[in-house]
Amino acid sequence: MAESNLVKLKLKVNEGLVEDSRKGIVRINRKDVDRLGVNIGDTVSIEGKRVTAANVYPSFNDIYGNPLIQMDGIIRHNAGVEINSEVTVCKAKVKTAKKVVLSPLENFSDWTMEDEKVVRNILRGMPIICEDELSLSFFGGNERGFLVNGTSPSGFVKVSNETEIVFIQPELGNAGSRITYEDIGGLNEQVRKIREIVELPLKYPKVFKKLGIEPPRGILLYGPPGTGKTLIARAVASETKAYFIHVNGPEIMNKFYGESEAKLREIFKEAKSRAPSIIFLDELDSIAPRREYVHGDVEKRVVAQLLAIMDGLESRGQIVVIGATNIPDSLDPALRRAGRFDREIAISPPNKEGRLKILQIHTRYMPLDKDVKLDQLAKVTYGFVGSDLSALCKEAGMTALKKVLSEVTETEEDNIPYFKVSMDNFTNALREIQPSSTREYYPETPNVTWQDVGGLEETKETLQNLIEFPLCYPDLCNKYKFTSPKGILLTGPSGTGKTMLANAAGNSAKINFIAINGLMLASNWSRKAEKALHDIFVKAKQTAPCILFFDELDGFIRLRSPGAGSSKDKIISQLILEFDNLEDVQGVIVLAATNRIDLIDSVLFREGRFEYILELPLPNVDERESILKIHSRGLPVSDDIDFKQLAEKTEGMSGAELAALCHKSSFIAIAQAIKNDLKIKINQNIFNQAIAGVKRQKNSVGGG
């Protein structure tokens, strides 16, 4: 087909799909595919400010319906366009590359023939042209950027198995691998807000002047560590072509008088000379803490200098300041007003859909086995932030690699066999990687199941339904206007299984479980306990859906005294406040246990606080039989054991005492086996001895 007869379409640029990122793929509507006269997988030329190429595929279900083209940030950069720009698309003539010359965008001096093979495999079938920028992801998620310095023949080429890959030293001034919007998963709404605030003033400054509108000057990103605050800032800078200055907070501080303020002024001066530019202040709380809480003059002067510079933003051109912190309450309040940090955007841990997107991003170049189900992994990784999910994928890859390396000798090291990462590798990795958001409170998921709890059938069913109905049947619960209770209180004598029941509920629901012992909050220091309680609830909200379990509730919540407010009165008031703040938050359930409900203030027993009180009585004879069988599992017991008779003899014993009974039976059997040098099974007589011992101990303790 002659070039003059080629069908050319003008299409509007839209964001690419996560699964297409860095694969040299664009998607357009099926009608436009037919109009271009190309087949699925053919190469098209994309012309913006410069020309690049990509393989074309139809968009899914033509969801946009308009003449749009979906492309990732790398292709947008190579075409010199941005989202919502227009490009000209037509069919391209592609040749097979004999030779491709690449220069790494970072100064790697250890490239080998093996690296050439890896790069060739990644690039195979991907159309490229001279001066294209490539961002390739190697095993383990390592991103490396390259610039195409030359191809033979010239024009559009595709890499094949016979293509020679040549590496040359990079030119000075080249950046590292490029970060795009497709590299950010689970934060679509936050990215959209930031793009509106940042991109519009940088792209259309004259429009703002004509309208007499002053654009936002600063954005504060806050949220737990690892949620993607720095990644968002880098992606925005990359996509807007703005000059990016990354400032780590502690780098500003200097012990010499005036040096810290001078460093800060220099950064803003550089940003003004390179405008449009973005200044990213990471760990902002380290350079702008609350002035009333700091004792040194340096911090106070730096805060004052930052406030003065932020107020002068209008005279410094197109500069956007983005600050990031995981403790926003420690920032000086003067920074958090209009004219300085105009907008505050919460970067929260991702939900299930967000976690799936992040897992897709970090596994897009991993050789996954067919049994890997990312949607199932997304369901069980409650509380995992982006960095946790990245670590999970790397750990799964390393687990698979270790298994292969254990079977490879040193002489075979250069010929490691091809392997895939399986679902078992991810399951093993889950045991090693814990969510950073809850690590400080509960390092492990409870391993207690409902089957480990003997008796209490009605209580178990009620507790399970209260927690799991909103999770498993959300549509039905919405229809009946049923939401998770804010609080559930387990009460009953010591040893009846309150803690075990709570752990079983946490295990069964497969959601975050934060366990707090009441004694941890019983502090004599003024306001220390209240702040700790507030921080715990903040953590629970960030990791919702979540069960917040307070064991030994009576250890820090007692009846309020009639006199002046004591420290315990303040803790009760703080707990009431935290309960009330849960009104607009779904997915946080406060579960508590106590054996002294008479000591708990009645103000907590109302709607919106502890709405359900589940009483655990001492087990009846059938329940005692069930508990004895559970704790005897795995023990070498005699076949003629009559558990019914044992249950009748243990009238008035709690579940904990029955567990101790089985333990004492094991001890008696071991002592007899050692004495007689025989293998002895635990029989009815041994159990009877243990019962007598437990009763003597119980009477002794009861009698003082």
Side-chain angles (χ1 to χ4, degrees), residues 45-76:
S45 167
I46 304 166
E47 182 179 355
K49 292 179 182 176
R50 66 179 297 273
V51 179
T52 188
N55 294 328
V56 66
Y57 287 83
S59 59
F60 292 112
N61 302 322
D62 288 358
I63 53 177
Y64 296 105
N66 297 318
L68 296 175
I69 179 169
Q70 295 174 269
M71 60 173 76
D72 67 23
I74 301 300
I75 300 175
R76 294 197 297 269

Side-chain angles (χ1 to χ4, degrees), residues 31 54 62 68 118 139 142 147 189 248 263 299 316 324 407 427 444 518-519 574 577 582-583 587 593 674 684 689:
K31 291 181 180 178
D62 288 358
L68 296 175
V118 174
F139 186 79
N142 294 319
L147 184 68
E189 186 61 28
N248 285 312
K263 177 72 173 173
E299 291 86 352
R316 292 183 288 104
E407 301 169 358
T427 304
E444 297 178 0
L519 298 177
Q574 184 68 43
L577 178 63
L582 290 178
E583 287 296 329
I674 294 172
Q684 199 86 5
Q689 291 180 51

Side-chain angles (χ1 to χ4, degrees), residues 85-293:
S85 302
E86 276 196 345
V87 292
T88 302
V89 182
C90 64
K91 188 173 182 178
K93 185 177 180 182
V94 187
K95 306 165 190 174
T96 300
K98 296 178 182 177
K99 183 178 181 180
V100 173
V101 181
L102 301 176
S103 63
L105 294 183
E106 296 177 51
N107 190 16
F108 299 107
S109 58
D110 55 347
W111 292 97
T112 64
M113 291 295 291
E114 188 64 29
D115 296 313
E116 181 186 334
K117 293 178 186 177
V118 174
V119 172
R120 187 189 297 112
N121 286 334
I122 296 174
L123 288 177
R124 191 168 54 227
M126 188 185 298
I128 57 176
I129 190 173
C130 188
E131 296 187 2
D132 265 359
E133 189 176 301
L134 308 174
S135 183
L136 309 181
S137 183
F138 293 77
F139 186 79
N142 294 319
E143 297 282 347
R144 291 183 176 180
F146 299 87
L147 184 68
V148 182
N149 283 78
T151 63
S152 175
S154 59
F156 295 129
V157 297
K158 279 189 177 181
V159 174
S160 69
N161 288 331
E162 287 73 37
T163 303
E164 180 187 1
I165 306 292
V166 178
F167 300 113
I168 64 172
Q169 284 293 320
E171 297 179 8
L172 293 175
N174 280 339
S177 57
R178 187 169 297 279
I179 297 173
T180 67
Y181 291 140
E182 288 78 18
D183 297 322
I184 303 172
L187 297 170
N188 293 343
E189 186 61 28
Q190 291 90 333
V191 171
R192 182 189 62 78
K193 289 180 182 178
I194 294 168
R195 281 181 54 200
E196 289 175 358
I197 298 169
V198 176
E199 288 186 7
L200 293 178
L202 295 182
K203 285 183 182 178
Y204 312 109
K206 294 180 181 178
V207 174
F208 281 87
K209 286 184 179 179
K210 286 182 180 179
L211 294 174
I213 299 173
E214 194 171 302
R217 302 174 179 181
I219 307 170
L220 179 64
L221 307 180
Y222 66 92
T227 46
K229 300 183 290 295
T230 305
L231 189 68
I232 287 177
R234 287 193 173 279
V236 169
S238 174
E239 295 276 5
T240 56
K241 309 292 189 299
Y243 184 70
F244 186 76
I245 303 176
H246 184 178
V247 182
N248 285 312
E251 293 176 357
I252 297 291
M253 310 310 290
N254 194 297
K255 64 180 180 179
F256 295 110
Y257 190 89
E259 287 291 327
S260 301
E261 302 94 298
K263 177 72 173 173
L264 203 55
R265 289 193 298 269
E266 194 158 325
I267 289 168
F268 279 83
K269 183 178 179 181
E270 180 187 1
K272 183 179 179 181
S273 65
R274 306 292 292 269
S277 56
I278 293 174
I279 300 175
F280 179 58
L281 300 175
D282 209 355
E283 306 297 341
L284 183 61
D285 50 277
S286 65
I287 61 172
R290 286 176 173 265
R291 283 171 287 182
E292 65 266 31
Y293 293 155

Side-chain angles (χ1 to χ4, degrees), residues 417-458:
Y418 180 75
F419 65 94
K420 290 188 175 182
V421 182
S422 67
M423 192 66 178
D424 285 341
N425 298 140
F426 278 99
T427 304
N428 292 331
L430 273 171
R431 298 191 185 103
E432 300 293 330
I433 307 298
Q434 297 294 332
S436 57
S437 53
T438 58
R439 192 173 296 156
E440 61 190 289
Y441 293 111
Y442 204 101
E444 297 178 0
T445 303
N447 56 4
V448 180
T449 65
W450 295 118
Q451 289 72 33
D452 297 326
V453 183
L456 304 172
E457 297 303 326
E458 186 178 344

